[in-house]
């Protein structure tokens, strides 16, 4: 009887004429996240850091999100940048992002600090989460500077759930560290604020040597923090789970030099073994679109005309890899590529 029932289920739900209706596929979605928001407030959170409160222009609820999520923000200039959501996920009336001014950056922070005003509208994509907050018996959070932005909602979530947590918050000085007042209101865990001008430069390895057994460790900040976490935890506590997010490009590993022909531009660029294809292309085409520089947002997606690609991204579907690549992380498998640029 069980076998007969299983056969009947298979015929109806997977093989029969009604299967398309009863068993719809659920592919991973990379589109359909675009919408407009309005800037409701702009506030100074620390020296060189402003926050933007974003709302739906018509007053509707914003899409739900979970701690660790980010938005792709399209600025009026056309620049696309990613910013972590750091408000309360339960409040769907507004989102909050925070941006540190970087004088020698790519121009996105300068545009936000100097040009945007309350009432301006922006196009955003998301929320998407490449830094998911998992359930754990206890947590260690380590944030460096503006790296507090994805960590803050996680700390609040652990506090509300009554799960033991500890936050190490590092920065150059208290005046440059945003959201100190919000962190001071949390009493269910341990907040350690460690500015360099008061305590000196931290030893990253010492931070992780006291990690509670079996904790989930979340790190967002300069690359040495994540590198120290991996080195220490692999030796002292293999039961800990490590989760990292960074705001700088990934270092190129196992790279080899190659040449890119830009078909539409009629030029060629040489890519060094230790640089990304995107960095090399920008020397010739400085206005080319990019955002995350880590292979998951798809902004730098480029058509491949000829050549074999060494795909290193987390975005493209298998059936897209023969004709596209993400230039921020992927490379040539041989010595040459021809791209539709």
């Amino acid at each position: 009887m069980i076998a007969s029932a299983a056969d009947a289920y298979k015929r109806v739900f997977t093989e029969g004429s009604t299967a398309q209706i009863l068993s719809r596929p659920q592919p991973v979605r990379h589109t359909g996240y675009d919408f407009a928001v309005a800037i409701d407030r702009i506030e100074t959170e620390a020296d060189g850091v402003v926050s933007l409160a974003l709302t739906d222009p018509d007053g509707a609820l914003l899409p739900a999100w979970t701690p660790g999520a980010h938005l792709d923000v399209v600025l009026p200039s056309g620049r696309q940048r990613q910013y972590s959501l750091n408000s309360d996920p339960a409040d769907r009336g507004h989102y909050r992002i925070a941006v540190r001014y970087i004088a020698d950056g790519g121009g996105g922070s300068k545009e936000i600090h100097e040009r945007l005003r309350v009432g301006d509208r922006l196009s955003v994509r998301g929320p998407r989460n490449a830094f998911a907050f998992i359930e754990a018996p206890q947590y260690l959070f380590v944030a460096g500077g503006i790296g507090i932005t994805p960590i803050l909602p996680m700390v609040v979530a652990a506090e509300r759930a009554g799960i033991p947590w500890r936050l190490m918050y590092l920065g150059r000085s208290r005046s440059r560290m945003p959201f100190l007042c919000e962190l001071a209101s949390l009493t269910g865990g341990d907040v350690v604020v460690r500015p360099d001008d008061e305590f000196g430069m931290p030893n990253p390895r010492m931070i992780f040597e006291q990690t509670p057994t079996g904790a989930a460790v979340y790190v967002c900040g300069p690359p040495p923090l994540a590198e120290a976490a991996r080195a220490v935890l692999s030796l002292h506590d293999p039961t800990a789970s490590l989760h990292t997010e960074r705001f700088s490009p990934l270092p190129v590993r196992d790279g080899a030099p190659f040449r890119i022909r830009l078909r539409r531009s009629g030029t060629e660029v040489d890519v060094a073994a230790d640089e990304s294809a995107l960095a090399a292309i920008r020397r010739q085409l400085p206005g080319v679109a990019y955002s995350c520089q880590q292979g998951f947002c798809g902004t730098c997606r480029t058509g491949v005309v000829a050549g074999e690609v060494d795909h290193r991204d987390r975005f493209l579907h298998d059936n897209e890899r023969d004709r596209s690549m993400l230039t921020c992380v992927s490379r040539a498998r041989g010595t040459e590529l021809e791209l539709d640029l």
Side-chain angles (χ1 to χ4, degrees):
M1 292 177 63
I2 294 174
S4 298
D7 287 341
Y9 175 91
K10 183 177 180 181
R11 287 193 299 271
V12 173
F13 284 89
T14 66
E15 295 180 352
S17 59
T18 57
Q20 293 279 346
I21 299 173
L22 299 177
S23 301
R24 294 182 182 275
Q26 298 184 23
V28 175
R29 195 159 56 109
H30 291 301
T31 59
Y33 292 95
D34 300 84
F35 57 99
V37 293
I39 301 176
D40 185 59
R41 295 189 310 276
I42 300 177
E43 298 181 353
T44 299
E45 302 292 350
D47 290 349
V49 179
V50 297
S51 68
L52 277 62
L54 309 174
T55 61
D56 182 275
D58 299 319
L61 294 178
L62 295 167
W65 60 282
T66 54
H70 67 270
L71 284 179
D72 298 333
V73 180
V74 182
L75 299 175
S77 65
R79 295 184 180 94
Q80 297 186 44
R81 297 294 184 265
Q82 294 179 316
Y83 299 106
S84 297
L85 291 166
N86 58 74
S87 49
D88 184 352
D91 177 9
R92 292 178 56 194
H94 84 285
Y95 292 152
R96 185 179 67 181
I97 60 174
V99 182
R100 181 178 296 285
Y101 182 88
I102 303 175
D104 57 352
S109 67
K110 181 180 177 70
E111 183 173 355
I112 288 174
H113 277 251
E114 297 180 358
R115 291 186 53 190
L116 295 187
R117 300 289 184 267
V118 171
D120 288 351
R121 294 195 179 192
L122 300 171
S123 176
V124 299
R125 182 179 303 116
R128 294 187 290 185
N129 201 329
F131 194 37
F133 184 55
I134 67 168
E135 291 186 10
Q138 49 193 329
Y139 298 96
L140 170 64
F141 303 105
V142 181
I146 198 65
I148 192 63
T149 52
I151 296 292
L152 180 58
M154 298 181 184
V155 174
V156 173
E159 168 100 348
R160 288 176 176 172
I163 301 172
W165 59 270
R166 186 171 194 248
L167 168 65
M168 291 288 296
Y169 187 11
L170 314 176
R172 295 183 184 178
S173 65
R174 291 179 187 270
S175 66
R176 293 174 55 86
M177 301 168 72
F179 308 122
L180 289 175
C181 291
E182 292 184 29
L183 291 169
S185 68
L186 304 177
T187 59
D190 183 18
V191 178
V192 179
V193 179
R194 197 184 186 286
D196 296 345
D197 63 351
E198 296 178 27
F199 299 94
M201 294 293 291
N203 181 341
R205 295 182 67 91
M206 292 181 62
I207 294 173
F208 300 101
E209 288 176 351
Q210 305 299 320
T211 301
T213 301
V217 181
Y218 281 84
V219 182
C220 187
L225 281 178
E227 293 164 5
R230 292 189 184 94
V232 172
L233 296 178
S234 64
L235 293 175
H236 296 282
D237 185 13
T239 66
S241 62
L242 176 62
H243 311 266
T244 64
E245 186 173 59
R246 55 188 295 156
F247 298 136
S248 58
L250 294 170
V252 177
R253 300 188 185 278
D254 303 320
F258 62 98
R259 176 167 292 180
I260 296 176
R261 293 192 301 274
L262 306 176
R263 167 170 281 197
R264 281 183 280 153
S265 306
T267 57
E268 296 182 345
V269 294
D270 290 319
V271 184
D274 61 350
E275 74 172 338
S276 68
L278 173 64
I281 291 168
R282 290 187 68 215
R283 290 198 298 270
Q284 189 68 36
L285 302 174
V288 69
Y290 71 95
S291 185
C292 77
Q293 302 184 76
Q294 297 175 55
F296 61 77
C297 77
T299 302
C300 67
R301 177 174 176 169
T302 302
V304 176
V305 179
E308 188 176 0
V309 179
D310 175 13
H311 291 285
R312 303 185 179 190
D313 67 275
R314 294 177 283 167
F315 179 86
L316 293 175
H317 296 292
D318 289 342
N319 61 1
E320 299 173 309
R321 293 182 181 273
D322 61 341
R323 60 184 185 276
S324 300
M325 70 177 288
L326 300 194
T327 59
C328 66
V329 292
S330 298
R331 308 178 66 77
R333 195 171 291 278
T335 59
E336 289 190 347
L337 280 177
E338 185 173 0
L339 303 181
D340 185 23
L341 287 172

